[in-house]
Amino acid sequence: MTLSTITRGLSTALPHWLSSQRIGLKAIILGVGVLASTAYAGPREQALEIHKRIAGIPPTEDAFNYMVTRLSVNDSSTRAQNVADAVNKAMENEAFYSVVLKNMITPATNREQTVFAPLNDYTATVIGVVRDDVDFRGILSEDILYVGADGLGLPAYANNNNLHYAALETSGIELNDKTKFIRIAQSAKNPALAGATAGVMTSRAAAAAFFKAGTNRAMFRFTLMNHMCRDLEQVHDTTRIPDFIRQDVSRSPGGDSRVYLNGCMGCHSGMDPLAKAFAYYDYEFTPTDEDPDGLLSGSIHYNKVADPVTGSLVEAKYLQNSATFPYGYVTTDDSWQNYWRAGINANLGWGWGGNAPTSRSGASSMGQELANSRAFASCQVEKVFKHVCLRKPASEDDHKAITQFTDNFKSKGFKLKQVFTDTAGYCLAGIPLL
């Protein structure tokens, strides 16, 4: 209950009693204000709550004592750094990686967006990037993969199963150990992707979820949702040129062209020219009774020779349902265009994090385009805010904080640990006891 709520209750429910007792309303409000201002956690309570929010578990005795010491310094000029020191100590705990980060990242690796999924190469790679405190934008473009080191008794990494990561998760190997959980080139484990890696978008987990079947639009849509915090409805714009909309999109759904002009076109005119970047990728598997969807045994595939159906490197899936509208666009390569740099979606802040990609072909350069938008950076801040503060940003102050933390994310080199530090300082620096 807030002070304003108590004040309204006192001023409306008790006026006659106050008058009869000759007690000043201001005196009562002042008393409540004193109670409210003093009912806050001390350094010990703050340390415990910060550690539980950041690492998901209580701190060790040494970590707790260090955090209490830092939070006990009563100096406004160093308060921000002291809180940052306490948060950084909590982030040293292995549970920050194997529990908190895993739970935050895992929903992005599957269509159901469930947290109840095993560790995989997508999740592991994002965890590793955060742990090593490197530029987070690389998760959508770099030749990067995190695996368990050799000699730990784990099944070898394989392109067609998840056994390596399932064993890594249950082995007790700590993900904050840089000698046992290491960064390698994704193409080193999957030579077929040499020159065609794009961070987590070309991970096996992402391919199994978003390249499987369909026409690869799912990979774009879920990347937009998971890393720019927008679904297609939020980027709908019917003013863009529809020249790259493919043949499988009806121009008159149900016999009514208005449905296409006012609905379908608004998403496809921007999505289809960007999703061209995935034209050479597929997820291949042989269905069995035990594994009908290929989640256990399938692998990502990248065309390096001409497909017999398309006559080019474009996967045959891009020609599915081509008879729906034969005059639609036929994909011939993996070059891409971003029509959303103009129109209402220019407010996504394209190029905010850096210059436009030098190349406009393939998934990696398209990932750079997405990751250099302000929307990408702000999305990461919003996700961290939700996990640390246990709520979505709602108030004016919250949204001002999101803006500030997004700017700070950029100025500090797009390192996600900085976002955890900023957010914890905002949400947990003055933790109320009740």
Side-chain angles (χ1 to χ4, degrees):
M1 181 177 293
T2 64
L3 179 58
S4 61
T5 302
I6 296 173
T7 302
R8 286 195 300 270
L10 288 171
S11 62
T12 56
L14 302 176
H16 298 295
W17 182 85
L18 289 173
S19 177
S20 63
Q21 298 298 316
R22 297 182 180 179
I23 298 176
L25 178 58
K26 290 184 179 179
I28 292 181
I29 293 174
L30 178 61
V32 173
V34 171
L35 287 174
S37 66
T38 57
Y40 280 88
R44 295 175 64 85
E45 292 82 8
Q46 286 184 337
L48 181 62
E49 187 64 21
I50 286 174
H51 201 280
K52 287 194 297 183
R53 296 277 188 97
I54 296 296
I57 60 174
T60 63
E61 183 176 358
D62 287 345
F64 180 66
N65 290 337
Y66 173 85
M67 294 172 69
V68 170
T69 299
R70 302 306 296 155
L71 294 170
S72 296
V73 177
N74 189 20
D75 184 347
S76 59
S77 65
T78 62
R79 175 63 176 171
Q81 185 57 54
N82 295 335
V83 172
D85 291 343
V87 175
N88 288 330
K89 174 59 69 173
M91 285 192 286
E92 292 177 5
N93 193 291
E94 197 277 337
F96 170 64
Y97 303 99
S98 62
V99 178
V100 173
L101 283 181
K102 179 180 181 292
N103 288 344
M104 188 176 85
I105 299 160
T106 298
T109 70
N110 58 82
R111 293 192 184 221
E112 295 76 21
Q113 297 187 300
T114 178
V115 71
F116 300 108
L119 185 71
N120 55 51
D121 54 349
Y122 187 133
T123 310
T125 297
V126 179
I127 290 173
V129 167
V130 177
R131 184 201 67 186
D132 290 347
D133 213 20
V134 295
D135 193 326
F136 194 76
R137 293 173 298 173
I139 66 167
L140 295 187
S141 62
E142 291 189 8
D143 185 8
I144 182 174
L145 182 71
Y146 277 79
V147 298
D150 295 336
L152 299 177
L154 301 172
Y157 173 90
N159 300 324
N160 61 354
N161 64 63
N162 194 51
L163 297 177
H164 176 80
Y165 293 98
L168 178 62
E169 184 172 23
T170 59
S171 66
I173 295 171
E174 297 186 343
L175 302 184
N176 60 352
D177 188 333
K178 294 185 178 182
T179 66
K180 296 180 179 179
F181 182 54
I182 62 175
R183 173 177 175 161
I184 63 171
Q186 189 180 142
S187 58
K189 292 295 185 181
N190 192 349
L193 289 177
T197 55
V200 296
M201 292 193 295
T202 51
S203 65
R204 180 183 182 272
F210 312 128
F211 280 150
K212 182 179 66 178
T215 56
N216 289 355
R217 291 187 181 101
M219 179 64 77
F220 179 79
R221 181 203 171 200
F222 279 91
T223 301
L224 189 71
M225 291 170 60
N226 294 321
H227 298 294
M228 296 180 73
C229 293
R230 268 102 172 151
D231 203 346
L232 292 172
E233 290 80 2
Q234 283 81 55
V235 292
H236 188 272
D237 180 7
T238 57
T239 69
R240 301 300 89 202
I241 301 172
D243 53 342
F244 285 107
I245 300 181
R246 296 183 220 155
Q247 296 171 309
D248 61 338
V249 178
S250 173
R251 270 51 170 187
S252 185
D256 188 347
S257 62
R258 292 172 299 180
V259 175
Y260 166 77
L261 293 172
N262 297 317
C264 312
M265 190 180 78
C267 295
H268 284 280
S269 59
M271 172 173 58
D272 282 16
L274 284 164
K276 286 177 62 186
F278 303 126
Y280 301 166
Y281 298 91
D282 199 1
Y283 183 74
E284 296 185 343
F285 63 97
T286 301
T288 64
D289 291 340
E290 295 77 19
D291 187 25
D293 297 319
L295 297 178
L296 303 178
S297 60
S299 60
I300 189 172
H301 175 262
Y302 180 78
N303 261 347
K304 291 198 171 182
V305 297
D307 189 289
V309 175
T310 64
S312 68
L313 298 180
V314 176
E315 291 281 357
K317 61 166 56 183
Y318 271 66
L319 293 183
Q320 288 182 165
N321 300 316
S322 59
T324 300
F325 186 72
Y327 305 104
Y329 181 75
V330 178
T331 305
T332 57
D333 57 35
D334 66 348
S335 63
W336 54 268
Q337 292 77 27
N338 185 3
Y339 284 174
W340 286 336
R341 274 185 168 257
I344 58 175
N345 289 314
N347 63 13
L348 296 178
W350 303 104
W352 178 78
N355 295 326
T358 55
S359 167
R360 287 186 173 265
S361 295
S364 178
S365 64
M366 200 272 285
Q368 293 175 33
E369 177 82 340
L370 299 181
N372 275 312
S373 68
R374 185 181 181 96
F376 173 86
S378 181
C379 181
Q380 315 315 314
V381 174
E382 290 173 19
K383 288 190 291 186
V384 172
F385 188 101
K386 181 179 178 181
H387 275 76
V388 173
C389 303
L390 303 182
R391 59 183 175 82
K392 293 181 179 180
S395 68
E396 182 179 353
D397 285 344
D398 287 350
H399 290 291
K400 287 181 179 178
I402 294 294
T403 299
Q404 178 186 341
F405 301 159
T406 300
D407 291 338
N408 208 24
F409 186 33
K410 176 184 178 181
S411 66
K412 296 299 178 62
F414 294 96
K415 298 175 181 180
L416 202 68
K417 283 184 180 179
Q418 180 65 48
V419 180
F420 277 92
T421 300
D422 288 341
T423 306
Y426 175 78
C427 289
L428 303 177
I431 305 169
L433 287 173
L434 299 176

